[in-house]
Amino acid sequence: MREQDDDHATSTEHAEQVEDFTPQREDVRVSASVELQTRDLRRRNELQDQLAKIQAGAPDRQTILEAIKNLQRLWAHLAMGERSRLMSQLVANIDHDTTDTTLSITLSPLGLESFATNNPEHSLLEE
């Protein structure tokens, strides 16, 4: 009797599996799968574009040195508000470790690069 019940359960599962594979249901599954793949591909491309922009925006050593040189010449000509605004563009983060009394300053790569290459007061430096 138990063997018949097992056979019946197996045949019922098989019938349900066969029923799940109708052409209409397969079309829905394939369509959903294609939509997911398309969405994932679009998201991957967006992330690759963002990464490329970040990597392109990171300044090289020469850009940093040029920005510092420009800043040294310009600093004396800036009012206090302009200095504050400039520092907020250049500095991304400041960390202070009280255990070993160190100070860590993280510069904003995009701020440095824009200052080195697109400095609106660059004409002041030439004078």
Side-chain angles (χ1 to χ4, degrees):
M1 178 78 162
R2 181 172 171 102
E3 196 171 298
Q4 284 180 331
D5 287 341
D6 288 342
D7 288 342
H8 179 69
T10 303
S11 65
T12 303
E13 289 173 10
H14 181 66
E16 288 174 0
Q17 289 175 352
V18 169
E19 189 176 301
D20 280 350
F21 288 107
T22 62
Q24 294 84 4
R25 288 189 182 188
E26 279 305 300
D27 287 346
V28 170
R29 285 185 182 132
V30 168
S31 177
S33 176
V34 168
E35 287 178 28
L36 287 173
Q37 289 175 350
T38 303
R39 185 195 67 194
D40 290 347
L41 181 62
R42 190 177 313 122
R43 182 65 179 139
R44 186 191 74 183
N45 289 339
E46 288 172 3
L47 291 173
Q48 286 177 334
D49 289 346
Q50 288 177 356
L51 180 60
K53 287 177 185 177
I54 290 169
Q55 289 172 339
D60 60 2
R61 181 178 171 79
Q62 184 60 38
T63 302
I64 293 170
L65 292 174
E66 187 66 27
I68 291 170
K69 187 167 60 172
N70 288 344
L71 179 60
Q72 288 173 337
R73 286 189 260 162
L74 182 64
W75 193 257
H77 301 285
L78 295 176
M80 190 57 79
E82 294 169 323
R83 289 178 181 181
S84 176
R85 189 170 41 253
L86 177 63
M87 292 308 294
S88 67
Q89 285 180 322
L90 295 177
V91 176
N93 192 28
I94 299 175
D95 291 317
H96 177 241
D97 188 344
T98 56
T99 58
D100 63 1
T101 64
T102 58
L103 189 66
S104 173
I105 300 173
T106 305
L107 300 176
S108 170
L110 298 178
L112 275 174
E113 185 158 347
S114 68
F115 186 76
T117 58
N118 300 323
N119 185 0
E121 279 126 4
H122 195 268
S123 60
L124 290 176
L125 301 176
E126 304 294 322
E127 296 174 358

